[in-house]
């Protein structure tokens, strides 16, 4: 058995009594109340999900298993000769909460390599889709197509003890995760690179092989590692994480669950915002007709967007109340690696202007940028200019977090999710305005 699975088993066995005790002895303890505003308003701030994989503080930002982004990058073993850790070492960390040794991380690298080949039937399905199909649709379809391989379904149909559910879920997760970058690279090259494909390189880790199969030279491999880790998890309430968890709660397997989560990520208020940021910025640049952007014209363009009833993509957040540390981390990368790049300068100018515009507009509770405001510039700089593809990159990263979560959901025996709804008339009764 691999060291990851062994460690995970130990952690699960240690954790189970904590969850069981909380339900049995303290199940009636209140952790919050729900208002009418929250019931109508997308359950904002309602505490009704449990995860130990990450926690999002409105003012501090995300912590993965208790570590901030800089701490995570500093503490995980970096890939030899590179600035960032391998995605595989991060996956070990997310799953177990332990920083892996170089040997343990390498075991995951090798395990992922064994499982990453994309079945031919997935390729056939992708190729059968109309050529204008969005890359996110293809990505979701590719994941769903592989559902027939689910180990969980096979074991469930054979008859399995509830306490053993996590093991076949883990197997599905380990089969699915390494295939995602390969699937993504296939979609990318089929759509945008004359359908010419690059075979995977058996010497490379997930990030390295992704860059290689995309056909983008180093240091894009390190960019991919950074990007996937940064986008992995943002606690459980965001649409992609919540959807994946919700679908898995019906004992749907990892393929069904992740495909559903990816569909949620494809919404413009969620992951697709990274595509929207680039398309907004490029339209804005085009409108300048070659003139240098100034803060005044940026401000006008932002107001035009707001006045036409649209959102400023890449700004605002349902939980955060400051600049997203994932934005800051990518900004630092840009300041170090592409400080004079014209597009980065425009994005920096927007950062200077947009929070003030949004404050003056007076609606958004958080006028600061989120992860999506900065990520496209880096991709563009390294030659990935097809912005329709950006959310697929997000999807690979997000899979790390949500697949870890659903493994733990099965380990801790979380039940089928089923909140209660009320009618508008009932709310009027609660409010005391109904006769
Ligand atoms: N531009 C214009 N208006 C905005 C805004 C923005 N960037 N952010 C919020 N608002 C508006 C809302 O639309 C809402 O308006 P109404 O009262 O008319 O409905 C009002 O301000 C209050 O919203 P909020 O409470 O501050 O924000 P929500 O929790 O409702 O929504 C969103 C959070 C991220 C969806 C929102 O800020 C938004 O639409 N941002 C732009 C899209 C975006 O960048 N999405 C990516 C978010 C990060 C993420 O999930 N990445 O995957």
């Amino acid at each position: 058995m691999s060291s990851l699975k062994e460690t995970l088993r130990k952690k699960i066995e240690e954790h189970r009594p904590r969850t069981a005790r909380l339900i049995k002895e303290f199940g009636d303890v209140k952790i919050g109340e729900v208002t009418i505003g929250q019931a109508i308003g997308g359950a904002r701030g309602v505490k009704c999900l449990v995860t130990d994989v990450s926690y999002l503080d409105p003012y501090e930002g995300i912590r993965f298993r208790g570590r901030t982004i800089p701490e995570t990058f500093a503490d995980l073993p970096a890939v030899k000769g590179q600035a960032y850790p391998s995605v595989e070492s991060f996956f070990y960390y997310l799953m177990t909460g332990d920083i892996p040794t170089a040997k343990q991380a390498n075991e995951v690298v090798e395990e992922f390599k064994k499982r990453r080949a994309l079945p031919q039937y997935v390729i056939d399905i992708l190729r059968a889709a109309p050529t204008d199909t969005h890359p996110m649709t293809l990505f979701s379809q590719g994941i769903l197509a592989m559902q027939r391989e689910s180990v969980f379904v096979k074991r469930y149909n054979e008859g399995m003890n509830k306490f053993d559910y996590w093991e076949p879920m883990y197997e599905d997760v380990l089969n699915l995760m390494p295939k995602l970058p390969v699937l993504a690279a296939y979609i990318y090259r089929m759509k945008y690179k004359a359908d010419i494909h690059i075979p995977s390189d058996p010497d490379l880790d997930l990030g390295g092989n992704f860059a290689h199969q995309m056909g983008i030279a180093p240091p894009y491999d390190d960019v991919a590692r950074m990007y996937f880790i940064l986008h992995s998890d943002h606690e459980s309430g965001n649409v992609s994480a919540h959807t994946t968890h919700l679908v898995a709660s019906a004992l749907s397997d990892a393929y069904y669950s992740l495909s559903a989560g990816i569909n949620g990520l494809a919404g413009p208020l969620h992951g697709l915002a990274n595509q929207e940021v680039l398309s907004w910025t490029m339209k804005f640049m085009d409108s300048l007709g070659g003139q240098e952007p100034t803060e005044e014209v940026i401000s006008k363009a932002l107001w035009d967007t707001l006045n036409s009833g649209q959102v400023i993509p890449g700004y605002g957040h349902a939980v955060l109340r400051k600049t997203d540390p994932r934005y800051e981390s990518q900004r630092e990368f840009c300041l170090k690696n592409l400080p004079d790049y014209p597009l980065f300068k425009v994005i920096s100018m927007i950062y200077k202007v947009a929070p003030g515009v949004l404050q003056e507009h007076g609606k958004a509770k958080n006028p600061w940028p989120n992860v999506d405001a900065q990520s496209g510039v880096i991709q563009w700089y390294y030659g990935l200019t097809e912005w329709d593809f950006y959310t697929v990159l997000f999807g690979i990263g997000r899979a790390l977090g949500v697949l870890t979560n659903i493994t733990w959901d099965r380990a801790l025996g979380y039940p089928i999710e089923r909140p209660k709804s009320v009618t508008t008339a009932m709310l009027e009764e609660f409010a005391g305005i109904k006769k």
Side-chain angles (χ1 to χ4, degrees), residues 41 44 231 234 238-240 265 267-274 276-277 305-306 309-319 321 324 326 358 361-368 370-373 394 398:
R44 212 65 87 251
H231 286 78
H234 222 219
N238 65 79
V239 170
S240 51
L265 193 68
L269 296 188
H270 191 17
L272 206 79
N274 58 11
E276 302 282 292
V277 167
T305 300
L306 291 172
Q310 299 170 67
V311 297
I312 297 177
Y315 282 76
H317 201 273
V319 179
R321 293 295 175 260
D324 191 335
R326 299 171 300 173
L358 278 167
H361 185 243
K363 266 190 166 184
K365 292 189 189 70
N366 178 42
W368 304 106
N370 59 59
V371 65
D372 298 313
F394 195 154
R398 184 46 51 96

Side-chain angles (χ1 to χ4, degrees), residues 40 94 107 151 159 167 189 221-222 287 291 314 318 352 364 368 404:
I40 297 176
L94 275 194
E107 267 179 26
V151 180
E167 285 202 55
R189 297 203 58 95
D221 52 344
D222 231 14
S287 74
Q291 283 199 326
K352 235 172 140 189
W368 304 106
T404 299

Side-chain angles (χ1 to χ4, degrees), residues 19 71 198 213 216 240 250 273 280 317:
T19 303
E71 287 165 359
I198 302 169
Q213 289 202 279
I216 308 179
S240 51
W280 188 96
H317 201 273

